[in-house]
Amino acid sequence: MQDIYQTRLRILQGAIILAALALLFKCFQIQIVDTSYQQQQSYRQALTLYPSRGLLYDRNDSLLIYNLPTYDILATYETVRRANIDTALFCKLLGIDTATFVKNMEKNWKDRRFSKRKPITFMSRLRADSLAILQEHLYNFPGFELHSRNSRGYPVTVGAHALGYISEVNSEQIEASAGVYKSGDYIGISGLEQAYEAQLRGTKGKKQVLKDKWGKIKGSYKEGSQDVPAISGCDLITSIDLNLQRYAEELMQNKRGAVVVLQPSTGEILAMVSAPNYNPQLLTVDQDRQKAYLELVRDSSRPLFNRALQAKYPPGSIFKPVLAAIALQEGVLQPDRGMGCAGGFVMGSLRVGCHGHAPTHDVGAAIQYSCNNYFCQAYREMVNLYGYDFPAKGMQLLSEHLEAFGLGRKLGIDVGGEASGNIPTVDYFNRRYGEGRWRFSHSVSIGIGQGELEVTPLQMANMAAIIANRGYYYTPHFAKELKGDSTNALAKFKQKHYTKVHPRHFEAVIDGMRRVILSGTGRRAHIEDIAVCGKTGTVENVHGKDHSTFIAFAPMEKPEIVVAVYVENGGFGSTYGGPIASLIIEKHLRGHIESPQRQLLEKMMLEADLVSSPNIP
């Protein structure tokens, strides 16, 4: 009988041991192997990891745009409610009142976008310096967390129109992005930020975390095995010469107009100025952004308007070298053709005046003295090339030449907003006067760069680059290199675009542009020991003082720099356009302004104020 009890006891003990082992195994399985129980008490959430946006540098590796950390304060409603935090202290650290606290915590909880157990945005776009004290005390405020974002910072305050700015995406951009963007993301809105958004933005990553039912993070999901790291955006090396950009902006202070500086051998833009300008730091993404933007929009001087790309101006006499090259190509002119000038072009009641000058015994002299009669006659013969009664054929030929010079259409620069300008076309004159009812006399002012002809300052600079290159150009662009980019996005800027003019015909034009500087209308642009070629332009303005414009390149034989300057209400081309262009050329080629006379000229240009005081020096 005792043996039976002993046997039953051992069986019972064995059963208890087996049950205990089974229980231990189950606990191990639940807590270590199988996370299903754990997930019943917590939930998984994917956090977005934002990449660093690509940086922008000038051609000499000077930093133009960097990433400036900004923060969003996120709050989990249930955690905050349960924690019973010191609301007064929290508000004091943030510099807000209790009413703001309550307002920011309340959401439309019926809306599926919000959950009391998931983080909501309490405050956004805060700079690190305004959160320094809060960060030290954040552990006292359960339910609040800081979410770091990258805005943009500007170590220099130049080049605003070229660089552009970023802003928060809107609903249309989110929908069009096919999942790339979501609410709260930033996107390039203008300039290079917009043009190279795909390369600059990088690729988002994801981090999977586990949170308890109150929204508190308990740890990584599956030890981070499903996390995806963010990939930083490509850095952009621009063609901008920071020192030259700064100098050109200084010269255009208190003036309205534009400057475009190109490297003709590559099409790279060394500097681009639209005046009046604005400080790019004003549009940094922070809580003051909207106010600053509205002030810029309301500014009557229109600082957000990029005159270098968007303003359409009559070019005036800087158009004459282009017309000369085309007329030489078509046999309308010969390099040694001279022409008298009795004070202008006269035909019946039509008269286009001209200033007094020496005889124009060849094309070079006509450019040198900017003879209006010479170029009105050249335009007349060009349009009448197929006969007086058939101006449409001559106009069509001229229009095709001008299009090949990049006029009347967008050049394709790598920042948005470019205007196409306007060139005379057969269709235009047919619509205006009726088919077969117009002659060259309806548009003779085009011969001197007036009338229906409109070009942008960028196109003006490109005209000069074509002449400097003896007949071709590269699409003007800012991007020199995209580090780490594999899309070959910049290949299109390596292609040459040829005009319909043979290179030999540019020699007479270039000779004339050199004479402009040596003994013609552009003598103020002369630089000792630098062979500058240029052309002045004084553009008639029925609304006020004439506009001053100038195109130039140097050195004459192997050009390294092209400059186009347009100063609204600046008077003669030699008054502001020529001096500003020549100073930029000397600054680029020498690094400084050398002679005392040139330094005095520099002082005059820097101090000239055409906005509040229109006096011309």
Side-chain angles (χ1 to χ4, degrees), residues 50 66-74 123-131 135 145-153 166 168 184-186 283-289:
Y50 287 92
Y66 62 92
N67 288 316
L68 181 67
T70 59
Y71 293 87
D72 295 342
I73 300 178
L74 305 182
M123 293 180 72
S124 62
R125 300 193 299 271
L126 300 172
R127 293 189 179 182
D129 53 3
S130 65
L131 293 174
Q135 285 180 301
E145 57 187 282
L146 296 181
H147 189 189
S148 176
R149 302 288 301 275
N150 280 324
S151 177
R152 293 302 234 181
I166 64 173
E168 192 169 317
D185 286 352
Y186 298 141
L283 296 184
T284 297
V285 179
D286 59 24
Q287 291 188 316
D288 299 325
R289 161 75 168 280

Short mmCIF file of all heavy atoms in Angstrom, two decimals, residues 50 66-74 123-131 135 145-153 166 168 184-186 283-289:
data_model
loop_
_atom_site.label_atom_id
_atom_site.label_comp_id
_atom_site.label_asym_id
_atom_site.label_seq_id
_atom_site.Cartn_x
_atom_site.Cartn_y
_atom_site.Cartn_z
N TYR A 50 14.18 61.34 -42.41
CA TYR A 50 14.36 62.31 -43.49
C TYR A 50 15.83 62.42 -43.87
O TYR A 50 16.70 62.54 -43.02
CB TYR A 50 13.81 63.67 -43.07
CG TYR A 50 12.30 63.71 -43.04
CD1 TYR A 50 11.60 63.41 -41.86
CD2 TYR A 50 11.57 63.99 -44.18
CE1 TYR A 50 10.22 63.42 -41.83
CE2 TYR A 50 10.19 64.00 -44.16
CZ TYR A 50 9.52 63.72 -42.98
OH TYR A 50 8.15 63.72 -42.96
N TYR A 66 23.30 75.53 -46.94
CA TYR A 66 23.50 74.37 -46.09
C TYR A 66 22.17 74.00 -45.43
O TYR A 66 21.16 74.70 -45.59
CB TYR A 66 24.57 74.66 -45.03
CG TYR A 66 24.23 75.78 -44.07
CD1 TYR A 66 23.58 75.52 -42.86
CD2 TYR A 66 24.56 77.10 -44.35
CE1 TYR A 66 23.27 76.54 -41.97
CE2 TYR A 66 24.26 78.13 -43.48
CZ TYR A 66 23.61 77.84 -42.29
OH TYR A 66 23.30 78.85 -41.41
N ASN A 67 22.17 72.91 -44.72
CA ASN A 67 20.97 72.45 -44.02
C ASN A 67 20.92 73.05 -42.62
O ASN A 67 21.87 72.93 -41.85
CB ASN A 67 20.93 70.92 -43.94
CG ASN A 67 20.64 70.30 -45.29
OD1 ASN A 67 19.76 70.77 -46.01
ND2 ASN A 67 21.37 69.26 -45.65
N LEU A 68 19.82 73.67 -42.31
CA LEU A 68 19.62 74.30 -41.02
C LEU A 68 18.56 73.51 -40.25
O LEU A 68 17.41 73.44 -40.69
CB LEU A 68 19.15 75.74 -41.21
CG LEU A 68 18.92 76.58 -39.95
CD1 LEU A 68 20.24 76.83 -39.24
CD2 LEU A 68 18.25 77.89 -40.32
N PRO A 69 18.94 72.86 -39.14
CA PRO A 69 17.96 72.05 -38.40
C PRO A 69 16.80 72.90 -37.87
O PRO A 69 17.02 73.96 -37.27
CB PRO A 69 18.79 71.46 -37.25
CG PRO A 69 20.21 71.59 -37.67
CD PRO A 69 20.28 72.81 -38.51
N THR A 70 15.61 72.45 -38.11
CA THR A 70 14.43 73.03 -37.48
C THR A 70 13.67 71.88 -36.82
O THR A 70 13.91 70.71 -37.13
CB THR A 70 13.51 73.73 -38.49
OG1 THR A 70 13.09 72.78 -39.48
CG2 THR A 70 14.22 74.88 -39.15
N TYR A 71 12.77 72.22 -35.92
CA TYR A 71 12.11 71.18 -35.13
C TYR A 71 10.60 71.37 -35.12
O TYR A 71 10.09 72.50 -35.10
CB TYR A 71 12.63 71.20 -33.69
CG TYR A 71 14.08 70.79 -33.56
CD1 TYR A 71 15.10 71.75 -33.69
CD2 TYR A 71 14.42 69.47 -33.33
CE1 TYR A 71 16.42 71.37 -33.57
CE2 TYR A 71 15.76 69.10 -33.21
CZ TYR A 71 16.74 70.05 -33.33
OH TYR A 71 18.05 69.69 -33.23
N ASP A 72 9.93 70.23 -35.13
CA ASP A 72 8.50 70.19 -34.84
C ASP A 72 8.35 69.58 -33.44
O ASP A 72 9.07 68.63 -33.09
CB ASP A 72 7.74 69.31 -35.84
CG ASP A 72 7.78 69.89 -37.25
OD1 ASP A 72 8.07 71.09 -37.39
OD2 ASP A 72 7.51 69.13 -38.19
N ILE A 73 7.47 70.13 -32.63
CA ILE A 73 7.14 69.51 -31.34
C ILE A 73 5.92 68.63 -31.55
O ILE A 73 4.86 69.11 -31.96
CB ILE A 73 6.85 70.58 -30.27
CG1 ILE A 73 8.06 71.49 -30.07
CG2 ILE A 73 6.47 69.91 -28.95
CD1 ILE A 73 7.83 72.59 -29.06
N LEU A 74 6.09 67.35 -31.30
CA LEU A 74 4.99 66.40 -31.43
C LEU A 74 4.44 66.06 -30.05
O LEU A 74 5.20 65.99 -29.07
CB LEU A 74 5.46 65.12 -32.14
CG LEU A 74 6.12 65.31 -33.51
CD1 LEU A 74 6.47 63.96 -34.11
CD2 LEU A 74 5.22 66.10 -34.45
N MET A 123 3.62 72.17 -32.37
CA MET A 123 4.19 73.38 -32.95
C MET A 123 5.18 72.95 -34.02
O MET A 123 5.78 71.88 -33.91
CB MET A 123 4.87 74.26 -31.90
CG MET A 123 3.93 74.88 -30.88
SD MET A 123 4.79 75.92 -29.64
CE MET A 123 5.23 77.33 -30.66
N SER A 124 5.38 73.79 -35.03
CA SER A 124 6.26 73.40 -36.13
C SER A 124 7.21 74.53 -36.51
O SER A 124 7.01 75.70 -36.15
CB SER A 124 5.44 73.00 -37.36
OG SER A 124 4.66 74.10 -37.82
N ARG A 125 8.26 74.14 -37.24
CA ARG A 125 9.25 75.05 -37.82
C ARG A 125 9.93 75.94 -36.76
O ARG A 125 10.05 77.15 -36.91
CB ARG A 125 8.63 75.91 -38.92
CG ARG A 125 8.07 75.10 -40.07
CD ARG A 125 7.75 75.96 -41.27
NE ARG A 125 6.75 76.97 -41.00
CZ ARG A 125 5.45 76.78 -41.13
NH1 ARG A 125 4.99 75.59 -41.51
NH2 ARG A 125 4.58 77.75 -40.87
N LEU A 126 10.36 75.31 -35.69
CA LEU A 126 11.04 76.04 -34.62
C LEU A 126 12.54 75.87 -34.78
O LEU A 126 13.03 74.78 -35.07
CB LEU A 126 10.60 75.51 -33.26
CG LEU A 126 9.10 75.62 -32.95
CD1 LEU A 126 8.76 74.90 -31.67
CD2 LEU A 126 8.68 77.08 -32.85
N ARG A 127 13.27 76.94 -34.55
CA ARG A 127 14.73 76.87 -34.65
C ARG A 127 15.32 76.30 -33.37
O ARG A 127 14.75 76.41 -32.29
CB ARG A 127 15.30 78.26 -34.92
CG ARG A 127 14.93 78.79 -36.30
CD ARG A 127 15.69 80.06 -36.62
NE ARG A 127 15.38 80.56 -37.94
CZ ARG A 127 15.94 81.64 -38.49
NH1 ARG A 127 16.84 82.33 -37.80
NH2 ARG A 127 15.60 82.03 -39.70
N ALA A 128 16.50 75.73 -33.53
CA ALA A 128 17.15 75.07 -32.40
C ALA A 128 17.41 76.04 -31.25
O ALA A 128 17.27 75.67 -30.08
CB ALA A 128 18.46 74.43 -32.86
N ASP A 129 17.77 77.29 -31.58
CA ASP A 129 18.09 78.24 -30.51
C ASP A 129 16.88 78.57 -29.64
O ASP A 129 17.02 78.92 -28.47
CB ASP A 129 18.71 79.52 -31.09
CG ASP A 129 17.84 80.14 -32.17
OD1 ASP A 129 16.74 79.63 -32.44
OD2 ASP A 129 18.28 81.15 -32.76
N SER A 130 15.67 78.46 -30.22
CA SER A 130 14.47 78.76 -29.42
C SER A 130 14.03 77.57 -28.57
O SER A 130 13.13 77.69 -27.74
CB SER A 130 13.32 79.16 -30.35
OG SER A 130 12.94 78.08 -31.18
N LEU A 131 14.68 76.43 -28.76
CA LEU A 131 14.29 75.22 -28.03
C LEU A 131 15.35 74.73 -27.06
O LEU A 131 15.19 73.68 -26.44
CB LEU A 131 13.98 74.08 -29.03
CG LEU A 131 12.74 74.28 -29.92
CD1 LEU A 131 12.66 73.16 -30.93
CD2 LEU A 131 11.47 74.31 -29.09
N GLN A 135 14.72 71.64 -24.40
CA GLN A 135 15.39 70.35 -24.55
C GLN A 135 15.98 69.85 -23.23
O GLN A 135 15.97 68.66 -22.95
CB GLN A 135 16.49 70.45 -25.62
CG GLN A 135 15.94 70.50 -27.04
CD GLN A 135 17.04 70.59 -28.07
OE1 GLN A 135 17.84 71.54 -28.06
NE2 GLN A 135 17.11 69.64 -28.97
N GLU A 145 7.70 65.18 -27.77
CA GLU A 145 8.97 64.80 -28.37
C GLU A 145 9.32 65.80 -29.47
O GLU A 145 8.44 66.47 -30.03
CB GLU A 145 8.90 63.39 -28.94
CG GLU A 145 7.79 63.18 -29.97
CD GLU A 145 7.66 61.72 -30.38
OE1 GLU A 145 8.49 61.29 -31.19
OE2 GLU A 145 6.73 61.04 -29.89
N LEU A 146 10.60 65.92 -29.76
CA LEU A 146 11.08 66.83 -30.81
C LEU A 146 11.38 66.03 -32.06
O LEU A 146 12.04 64.99 -32.01
CB LEU A 146 12.34 67.56 -30.34
CG LEU A 146 12.16 68.49 -29.14
CD1 LEU A 146 13.48 69.17 -28.81
CD2 LEU A 146 11.09 69.53 -29.40
N HIS A 147 10.89 66.53 -33.17
CA HIS A 147 11.11 65.89 -34.45
C HIS A 147 11.97 66.82 -35.31
O HIS A 147 11.55 67.90 -35.68
CB HIS A 147 9.77 65.61 -35.14
CG HIS A 147 9.88 64.77 -36.36
ND1 HIS A 147 8.85 64.56 -37.22
CD2 HIS A 147 10.93 64.08 -36.87
CE1 HIS A 147 9.24 63.78 -38.21
NE2 HIS A 147 10.49 63.48 -38.01
N SER A 148 13.19 66.38 -35.61
CA SER A 148 14.13 67.22 -36.35
C SER A 148 13.83 67.20 -37.84
O SER A 148 13.53 66.17 -38.42
CB SER A 148 15.56 66.74 -36.12
OG SER A 148 16.47 67.48 -36.90
N ARG A 149 13.90 68.39 -38.48
CA ARG A 149 13.75 68.53 -39.92
C ARG A 149 14.88 69.40 -40.44
O ARG A 149 15.51 70.12 -39.69
CB ARG A 149 12.40 69.19 -40.25
CG ARG A 149 11.19 68.46 -39.73
CD ARG A 149 10.94 67.18 -40.51
NE ARG A 149 10.74 67.45 -41.91
CZ ARG A 149 9.56 67.79 -42.43
NH1 ARG A 149 8.50 67.91 -41.66
NH2 ARG A 149 9.44 67.98 -43.73
N ASN A 150 15.12 69.34 -41.74
CA ASN A 150 16.15 70.18 -42.35
C ASN A 150 15.51 71.29 -43.17
O ASN A 150 14.85 71.03 -44.17
CB ASN A 150 17.07 69.35 -43.24
CG ASN A 150 18.11 68.60 -42.44
OD1 ASN A 150 18.60 69.11 -41.45
ND2 ASN A 150 18.44 67.39 -42.86
N SER A 151 15.71 72.51 -42.73
CA SER A 151 15.36 73.68 -43.53
C SER A 151 16.64 74.11 -44.25
O SER A 151 17.58 73.33 -44.35
CB SER A 151 14.81 74.78 -42.62
OG SER A 151 14.54 75.93 -43.36
N ARG A 152 16.69 75.33 -44.74
CA ARG A 152 17.87 75.79 -45.45
C ARG A 152 18.46 77.02 -44.78
O ARG A 152 17.75 77.91 -44.32
CB ARG A 152 17.51 76.15 -46.89
CG ARG A 152 17.09 74.94 -47.74
CD ARG A 152 18.16 73.88 -47.80
NE ARG A 152 18.51 73.53 -49.16
CZ ARG A 152 19.40 72.62 -49.48
NH1 ARG A 152 20.06 71.98 -48.52
NH2 ARG A 152 19.67 72.34 -50.74
N GLY A 153 19.79 77.04 -44.73
CA GLY A 153 20.51 78.17 -44.21
C GLY A 153 21.41 78.76 -45.28
O GLY A 153 21.83 78.05 -46.22
N ILE A 166 12.91 76.72 -50.73
CA ILE A 166 12.03 75.57 -50.54
C ILE A 166 10.83 75.98 -49.72
O ILE A 166 10.84 77.01 -49.04
CB ILE A 166 12.77 74.39 -49.84
CG1 ILE A 166 13.20 74.78 -48.42
CG2 ILE A 166 13.96 73.94 -50.66
CD1 ILE A 166 13.77 73.63 -47.61
N GLU A 168 6.84 74.17 -47.93
CA GLU A 168 6.08 72.96 -47.62
C GLU A 168 5.19 72.59 -48.81
O GLU A 168 4.62 73.46 -49.47
CB GLU A 168 5.22 73.19 -46.37
CG GLU A 168 4.61 71.93 -45.80
CD GLU A 168 4.01 72.14 -44.42
OE1 GLU A 168 4.65 72.82 -43.60
OE2 GLU A 168 2.89 71.64 -44.18
N GLY A 184 3.65 68.08 -44.86
CA GLY A 184 4.75 68.51 -44.00
C GLY A 184 6.11 68.43 -44.66
O GLY A 184 7.08 68.99 -44.15
N ASP A 185 6.21 67.74 -45.82
CA ASP A 185 7.49 67.65 -46.52
C ASP A 185 7.81 68.99 -47.18
O ASP A 185 6.93 69.81 -47.46
CB ASP A 185 7.44 66.57 -47.60
CG ASP A 185 7.49 65.17 -47.01
OD1 ASP A 185 7.71 65.04 -45.80
OD2 ASP A 185 7.29 64.20 -47.78
N TYR A 186 9.10 69.18 -47.47
CA TYR A 186 9.55 70.38 -48.16
C TYR A 186 9.93 70.05 -49.59
O TYR A 186 10.37 68.94 -49.91
CB TYR A 186 10.76 71.00 -47.45
CG TYR A 186 10.48 71.45 -46.03
CD1 TYR A 186 11.41 71.26 -45.01
CD2 TYR A 186 9.27 72.07 -45.71
CE1 TYR A 186 11.16 71.68 -43.72
CE2 TYR A 186 9.00 72.47 -44.42
CZ TYR A 186 9.95 72.28 -43.42
OH TYR A 186 9.69 72.70 -42.14
N LEU A 283 13.63 83.93 -46.68
CA LEU A 283 12.71 82.85 -47.04
C LEU A 283 13.13 81.51 -46.47
O LEU A 283 12.71 80.46 -46.94
CB LEU A 283 12.58 82.77 -48.56
CG LEU A 283 11.96 84.02 -49.21
CD1 LEU A 283 11.78 83.83 -50.70
CD2 LEU A 283 10.63 84.38 -48.55
N THR A 284 13.97 81.55 -45.43
CA THR A 284 14.24 80.33 -44.67
C THR A 284 12.93 79.84 -44.03
O THR A 284 12.13 80.63 -43.55
CB THR A 284 15.28 80.61 -43.56
OG1 THR A 284 16.51 81.00 -44.17
CG2 THR A 284 15.52 79.37 -42.70
N VAL A 285 12.74 78.54 -44.04
CA VAL A 285 11.49 77.98 -43.50
C VAL A 285 11.52 78.07 -41.98
O VAL A 285 12.19 77.31 -41.30
CB VAL A 285 11.31 76.51 -43.93
CG1 VAL A 285 10.02 75.94 -43.33
CG2 VAL A 285 11.25 76.40 -45.45
N ASP A 286 10.78 79.05 -41.46
CA ASP A 286 10.60 79.18 -40.01
C ASP A 286 9.28 79.90 -39.78
O ASP A 286 8.52 80.16 -40.71
CB ASP A 286 11.78 79.89 -39.34
CG ASP A 286 12.02 81.28 -39.89
OD1 ASP A 286 11.07 81.89 -40.44
OD2 ASP A 286 13.15 81.79 -39.79
N GLN A 287 9.01 80.25 -38.55
CA GLN A 287 7.72 80.85 -38.23
C GLN A 287 7.57 82.27 -38.77
O GLN A 287 6.46 82.79 -38.84
CB GLN A 287 7.50 80.83 -36.72
CG GLN A 287 7.30 79.42 -36.17
CD GLN A 287 6.90 79.41 -34.71
OE1 GLN A 287 7.46 80.14 -33.91
NE2 GLN A 287 5.92 78.59 -34.38
N ASP A 288 8.67 82.92 -39.18
CA ASP A 288 8.61 84.28 -39.72
C ASP A 288 8.50 84.29 -41.24
O ASP A 288 8.41 85.35 -41.86
CB ASP A 288 9.85 85.08 -39.30
CG ASP A 288 9.95 85.21 -37.79
OD1 ASP A 288 8.89 85.32 -37.15
OD2 ASP A 288 11.08 85.20 -37.27
N ARG A 289 8.53 83.13 -41.86
CA ARG A 289 8.60 83.01 -43.31
C ARG A 289 7.40 83.67 -44.01
O ARG A 289 7.57 84.44 -44.96
CB ARG A 289 8.69 81.53 -43.68
CG ARG A 289 8.31 81.15 -45.10
CD ARG A 289 9.40 81.52 -46.10
NE ARG A 289 9.14 80.90 -47.38
CZ ARG A 289 9.41 79.64 -47.67
NH1 ARG A 289 9.94 78.84 -46.76
NH2 ARG A 289 9.18 79.15 -48.86
#
